[in-house]
């Protein structure tokens, strides 16, 4: 194998929409859109407004569609989700260590779209007509008909550019539905395999 001198790779100045390395946001998005990803719904329950007052209203359920979710370790069982820094879910998981994940089936595209909307209505209304059960450990909503559900406890938060990587231990895992294929995200659209 022949070595190529570094001088053969010219250093280019960043473009107006690029970074020092020369990759623009649009180029990066286009390249990463070619990576197919599974789709999950990350959920958590806000803590009560006043935990010392049993009559105080409980916190609201919060949900967020995510495609940047992955298994990290088998022993111990760890997963990772990437959250936009300063988003409602990022702020909530900074104070609430327990949360849930529902791996969405291909028939649940409407759920993914609903929880991915910008400027959406309140989360309470988003959950209104979706069948779910409460996780016995986290209290988070776990979507009925999901291919798999997990309950997690945050172990580490890692700042990464404009996102936060949340690494969590899996406390429960179940496979409530064996029917249907996974919902996938590819080239900016939800897709079915097959």
């Amino acid at each position: 194998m022949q070595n190529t001198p570094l001088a053969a790779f010219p250093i280019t100045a960043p473009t107006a929409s690029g970074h020092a390395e020369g990759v623009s946001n649009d180029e990066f998005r286009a390249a990463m859109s070619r990576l197919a990803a599974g789709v999950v719904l990350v959920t958590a329950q806000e803590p009560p407004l006043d935990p010392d007052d049993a009559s105080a209203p409980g916190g609201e359920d919060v949900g967020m569609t995510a495609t940047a979710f992955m298994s990290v370790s088998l022993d111990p069982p760890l997963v990772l989700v990437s959250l936009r820094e300063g988003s409602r879910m990022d702020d909530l998981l900074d104070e609430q260590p327990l949360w849930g994940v529902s791996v969405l089936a291909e028939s649940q595209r409407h759920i993914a779209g609903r929880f991915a909307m910008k400027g959406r209505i309140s989360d309470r209304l988003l959950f209104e007509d979706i069948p779910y059960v409460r996780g016995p450990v986290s209290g988070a909503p776990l979507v009925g008909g999901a291919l798999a559900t997990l309950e997690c406890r945050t172990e580490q938060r890692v700042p990464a550019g404009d996102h936060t990587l949340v690494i969590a231990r899996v406390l429960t895992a179940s496979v409530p539905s064996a029917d249907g294929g996974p919902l996938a995200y590819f080239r900016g659209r939800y897709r079915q395999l097959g």
Side-chain angles (χ1 to χ4, degrees), residues 81-154:
V81 66
S82 179
L83 306 173
R84 186 175 41 79
E85 183 182 27
S87 67
R88 184 170 185 200
M89 188 61 75
D90 182 37
D91 292 344
L92 176 56
L93 295 191
D94 193 27
E95 65 177 88
Q96 165 61 283
L98 298 174
W99 44 284
V101 175
S102 299
V103 179
L104 298 181
E106 60 193 0
S107 63
Q108 295 176 315
R109 177 186 303 211
H110 65 289
I111 295 172
R114 178 183 292 190
F115 285 91
M117 289 187 304
K118 293 189 189 303
R120 62 191 195 195
I121 57 176
S122 79
D123 284 73
R124 180 179 51 77
L125 295 175
L126 294 178
F127 280 105
E128 202 167 71
D129 62 346
I130 295 174
Y132 66 85
V133 297
R134 291 221 174 264
V137 175
S138 67
L142 301 173
V143 177
L147 295 180
T149 60
L150 308 167
E151 290 184 279
C152 307
R153 182 185 64 233
T154 300

Side-chain angles (χ1 to χ4, degrees), residues 16-36:
S17 64
H19 304 282
E21 291 77 20
V23 175
S24 74
N25 292 346
D26 291 341
E27 290 168 333
F28 182 66
R29 273 193 201 99
M32 295 311 296
S33 76
R34 276 30 178 208
L35 177 64

